[in-house]
Amino acid sequence: MSLGLSDHKKDDRQERLLAIRKALGPRSVVLIGLMGAGKTAVGRRLANRLDLPFIDADSEIEEAAGASISEIFAEHGEAYFRQGERKVIARLLENGPQVLATGGGAYMNPDTRANIKAHGLSVWLKADIKVLMKRVGRRDNRPLLAAGDPEKVMKKLMEERYPIYAEADLTVDSRDIAHTSIVNTIIRALARWSGWERLNNERH
Ligand code: S3P
């Protein structure tokens, strides 16, 4: 069952947003994908359009730790960061409805994946290497990329993670276009999604 809306009429737009919100109930729209896929920038705009709060898991982890992600990695190591990430995301998922952007490694944790499935609807922002490298090149706040040749690291992460990211409820291409266009694509995909009934029957 999709939400039964046509996606070409202008008048449908508001109706479509309301239908998505209603179908979502207390769940979160959870954005997953690699560093540079645009989870935060797209998530913020998506939340705005759906009139939902936007939460960035990485910022929440930094706030809980009183330190930046780079500092957490440097002082305590990646395993410690992952533990905190799992706990913080489990807590955040209790607060839906909302749009929740997660760090690139979060969905790789089986507990976090199960939690997202139970409390949310996952959207993979899938991008190719060119787009990812262009976007991450703008900042140097990602310890994993600082550990070696960033493009090699990114390619390895794509190999490891893309088969798991593919478990997401929806996949949307994150191309090098305006973020609002990606938001429109997500909204159309949500309106057409055939899994709403299953979501309501099987999940919280
Ligand atoms: C990571 C991605 C980062 C951050 C941390 C680790 C990863 O988040 O959580 O540096 O493992 O891919 P973004 O995906 O928001 O950059």
Side-chain angles (χ1 to χ4, degrees):
M1 184 200 74
S2 75
L3 294 179
L5 298 167
S6 61
D7 60 22
H8 53 277
K9 282 191 220 140
K10 266 195 171 171
D11 297 347
D12 276 358
R13 282 188 189 159
Q14 198 51 33
E15 195 191 331
R16 196 189 308 162
L17 295 174
L18 290 173
I20 292 168
R21 276 212 48 175
K22 189 160 174 252
L24 201 57
R27 297 177 202 88
S28 305
V29 176
V30 183
L31 298 181
I32 67 160
L34 269 180
M35 298 171 268
K39 297 170 302 241
T40 303
V42 168
R44 208 179 284 289
R45 289 168 176 82
L46 178 65
N48 197 14
R49 287 281 293 283
L50 290 171
D51 197 20
L52 289 174
F54 171 74
I55 307 290
D56 183 72
D58 280 346
S59 305
E60 296 287 325
I61 294 165
E62 290 182 324
E63 196 171 308
S68 73
I69 289 182
S70 298
E71 285 164 352
I72 303 171
F73 267 71
E75 281 164 33
H76 305 282
E78 181 175 351
Y80 178 89
F81 168 77
R82 296 297 174 202
Q83 226 178 38
E85 180 176 52
R86 181 177 50 76
K87 285 189 200 150
V88 167
I89 292 176
R91 167 172 62 78
L92 294 173
L93 282 167
E94 301 288 339
N95 303 335
Q98 64 196 336
V99 175
L100 175 64
T102 60
Y107 196 71
M108 299 305 289
N109 180 291
D111 291 343
T112 299
R113 262 197 323 277
N115 247 329
I116 292 174
K117 207 173 177 107
H119 299 279
L121 192 161
S122 47
V123 179
W124 173 21
L125 288 186
K126 184 178 184 183
D128 65 27
I129 186 80
K130 234 175 97 189
V131 171
L132 296 173
M133 292 317 294
K134 185 173 167 196
R135 298 225 186 99
V136 296
R138 293 180 194 145
R139 297 174 69 188
D140 67 346
N141 58 343
R142 287 161 167 125
L144 289 184
L145 298 180
D149 172 349
E151 187 160 340
K152 272 197 193 144
V153 174
M154 191 70 95
K155 281 184 174 159
K156 188 159 177 284
L157 291 174
M158 288 174 87
E159 270 173 38
E160 289 168 6
R161 293 178 177 180
Y162 276 22
I164 305 289
Y165 289 166
E167 293 179 24
D169 292 312
L170 289 169
T171 299
V172 168
D173 277 325
S174 180
R175 292 174 291 132
D176 197 15
I177 52 173
H179 287 130
T180 42
S181 305
I182 299 170
V183 169
N184 289 338
T185 309
I186 296 175
I187 287 169
R188 276 197 302 272
L190 286 169
R192 279 196 207 119
W193 190 47
S194 58
W196 287 108
E197 198 174 357
R198 194 165 22 94
L199 186 80
N200 282 314
N201 290 338
E202 289 173 9
R203 303 188 196 171
H204 300 196

